[in-house]
Amino acid sequence: MSSPVWHPFHQHGLGEDIPLVERAEGALLYTSDGREIVDAISSWWVTTLGHNHPRIVAAIRQQAEKLDQLIFAGWTHQPAEDLARGLIAMTPPALQYVFFSDSGSTAVEVALKMALGFWANRGESRHRILVLEHSYHGDTIGAMSIGERGVYNRAYSPLLFDVGTIPFPHKGAEQASLDALNSACSAGDIAAFIVEPLVLGAGGMLVYPAHVLAEMRAICAAHDVLFIADEVMTGWGRTGTLLACEQAGVVPDILCLAKGITGGSMPLAVTMASAPIYDAHYSTDRSKLFFHSSSYTANPIACAAANANLAIWQEGGVLEQVTSLAAREADGFAHLAAKHSLANLRQCGSIIAMDVDVTDAGYLSDLAPRMKAGFLQRDILLRPLGNTIYLMPPYCMTQDQLDRILTAIDEVLTEVL
Ligand SMILES: *Cc1c(COP(=O)(O)O)cnc(C)c1O
């Protein structure tokens, strides 16, 4: 009998095989039919420290026995209090308040609502959002509105709100992008600019330099436009620093974190805000409160998992793992690039990507699914983005596991090219 499960971003009509995974450890997934799969993309960018990290698993188990869930409107619990303080200690001092939610998309929705609430409560009419071309911020209606438009959201476009789009700062076109941001910010009705710092993930692992990010931040500050950093993917060491913003010396007004916040073990997200954002909502007037909540806001078990992640970070060694992994990835991709027809080799911390050099559009259209199938056949979890092959592994990946991935890429490229 076929399964009643409707999978995300999956065309069931193609009849593709759906592996059933029973357990996981580190960078490995074990399927019910006895296969051992290397997870090259951290189960879609979330698993930073490796699957089933024993300390995170222990924290989840302990918390589950004490307090499973609690209303968070006007109530609190120790795991959330500890986590908020821990996050504030680890991030720039200007970020003083922590608002909890449960996914990257909601963290972004919350950021947009905070920005609009800030201007509304101050009695200023600013409601337009600026975004960077090729951005991805999630799949809810607001998050889609501020992301790249395409086949994946065309049916919903009548519901999406209008935004101002700044051209991506491609190599050599950085100044044009900054000029466009500067002139867009001058309009006067701009509430905020939201950006994925240093790497645009779903947009194709597009990287841009730290100095451009720093200049973007400065332009926003000069026009009193709120600067929102969506570090849902880039946070937690992905780019070689805890936050990608650090590499540019940038402190956002609002910061979105999710994916790796629990080490990738539980759904949890936060939107961190500077004092002016919080203060704009702080009043004896109830109508100025921040109108947002979801049922599982700051779920205690998820917070306990995040606290275990923070404890592991505080002990040190995580960034060293990222550095070692990044060097080994660079080595492997250089070999592949020398052997195959590849272009645009790029890297930012543990994220490395290159494009398969094909021009035939018809051929290009089914390249990603063919490569994905080739990787799965070789027991590798790796989903190319169009003609872009990228790695985003858990930091604990061994050389042996990485070699299995590189061999599979070599074989698949030989097959498809
Ligand atoms: C994944 C992602 C999101 C959405 O996060 P979800 O937890 O999948 O809702 C938002 N922004 C960026 C940059 C992401 O990579």
Side-chain angles (χ1 to χ4, degrees):
M1 197 191 83
S2 72
S3 166
V5 176
W6 191 349
H7 288 265
F9 276 85
H10 185 87
Q11 181 46 274
H12 285 271
L14 294 172
E16 288 167 0
D17 204 30
I18 299 180
L20 194 153
V21 174
E22 283 181 334
R23 63 191 176 87
E25 196 182 331
L28 298 174
L29 307 171
Y30 298 91
T31 66
S32 57
D33 57 359
R35 294 162 69 186
E36 184 190 86
I37 313 278
V38 184
D39 185 350
I41 58 164
S42 298
S43 283
W44 246 1
W45 318 346
V46 300
T47 310
T48 47
L49 304 172
H51 290 277
N52 288 70
H53 192 289
R55 294 203 23 211
I56 296 177
V57 170
I60 290 170
R61 187 177 289 132
Q62 277 172 20
Q63 184 57 40
E65 287 175 357
K66 275 201 288 200
L67 176 66
D68 55 350
Q69 162 65 7
L70 179 72
I71 175 177
F72 209 62
W75 291 74
T76 196
H77 52 80
Q78 206 55 47
E81 294 294 327
D82 293 345
L83 180 54
R85 282 178 181 79
L87 289 168
I88 281 163
M90 286 174 90
T91 53
L95 295 167
Q96 291 183 21
Y97 296 94
V98 178
F99 190 92
F100 289 95
S101 62
D102 44 25
S103 75
S105 303
T106 20
V108 166
E109 299 281 351
V110 163
L112 296 177
K113 287 175 72 172
M114 280 180 178
L116 264 76
F118 170 83
W119 292 112
N121 284 350
R122 286 163 53 122
E124 285 186 57
S125 170
R126 288 194 187 219
H127 41 73
R128 198 169 158 77
I129 306 293
L130 297 179
V131 306
L132 203 55
E133 182 191 16
H134 306 311
S135 293
Y136 176 79
H137 296 289
D139 281 338
T140 51
I141 298 291
M144 279 192 294
S145 298
I146 59 171
E148 181 89 341
R149 307 291 167 97
V151 62
Y152 28 86
N153 51 36
R154 192 157 293 139
Y156 330 114
S157 64
L159 291 187
L160 306 186
F161 56 78
D162 189 36
V163 295
T165 304
I166 308 303
F168 181 80
H170 287 289
K171 215 185 192 108
E174 292 92 345
Q175 195 53 48
S177 174
L178 294 170
D179 291 346
L181 178 62
N182 195 44
S183 84
C185 282
S186 312
D189 63 342
I190 308 298
F193 174 54
I194 180 162
V195 69
E196 290 163 87
L198 302 188
V199 190
L200 272 59
M205 300 300 153
L206 304 176
V207 301
Y208 62 96
H211 74 87
V212 174
L213 181 63
E215 285 167 62
M216 285 173 170
R217 207 288 169 249
I219 290 167
C220 290
H223 292 91
D224 286 331
V225 166
L226 295 175
F227 187 90
I228 305 172
D230 175 356
E231 295 238 23
V232 169
M233 181 194 75
T234 52
W236 304 103
R238 266 296 158 213
T239 68
T241 44
L242 175 67
L243 301 176
C245 278
E246 282 173 45
Q247 295 177 41
V250 158
V251 179
D253 298 299
I254 301 175
L255 170 69
C256 304
L257 294 173
K259 293 190 169 119
I261 190 171
T262 58
S265 62
M266 298 273 298
L268 184 73
V270 296
T271 307
M272 297 181 68
S274 63
I277 310 285
Y278 179 87
D279 291 346
H281 294 84
Y282 186 92
S283 166
T284 50
D285 179 352
R286 281 182 198 277
S287 75
K288 288 192 167 181
L289 64 79
F290 185 52
F291 290 101
H292 191 93
S293 176
S294 51
S295 305
Y296 288 99
T297 297
N299 172 263
I301 303 172
C303 288
N307 282 324
N309 176 43
L310 263 62
I312 293 163
W313 268 86
Q314 260 130 35
E315 277 168 20
V318 178
L319 290 178
E320 287 74 5
Q321 259 188 325
V322 176
T323 307
S324 149
L325 173 62
R328 292 182 282 125
E329 286 175 292
D331 200 43
F333 266 44
H335 279 97
L336 289 169
K339 186 166 168 190
H340 298 279
S341 184
L342 301 165
N344 303 328
L345 180 57
R346 53 203 183 269
Q347 183 172 26
C348 189
S350 68
I351 304 167
I352 191 163
M354 58 191 174
D355 302 339
V356 181
D357 217 356
V358 284
T359 40
D360 185 323
Y363 187 79
L364 191 62
S365 67
D366 72 336
L367 186 62
R370 281 171 52 214
M371 290 196 292
K372 187 180 86 171
F375 293 130
L376 185 55
Q377 254 170 33
R378 291 167 176 82
D379 292 344
I380 306 294
L381 166 51
L382 209 173
R383 294 172 61 110
L385 288 160
N387 65 327
T388 300
I389 296 179
Y390 72 92
L391 302 184
M392 202 186 299
Y395 308 154
C396 62
M397 179 161 285
T398 64
Q399 187 58 43
D400 176 57
Q401 291 159 350
L402 184 58
D403 285 341
R404 280 171 61 186
I405 297 171
L406 295 166
T407 303
I409 296 177
D410 186 13
E411 289 175 10
V412 167
L413 285 175
T414 305
E415 207 171 82
V416 301
L417 284 173

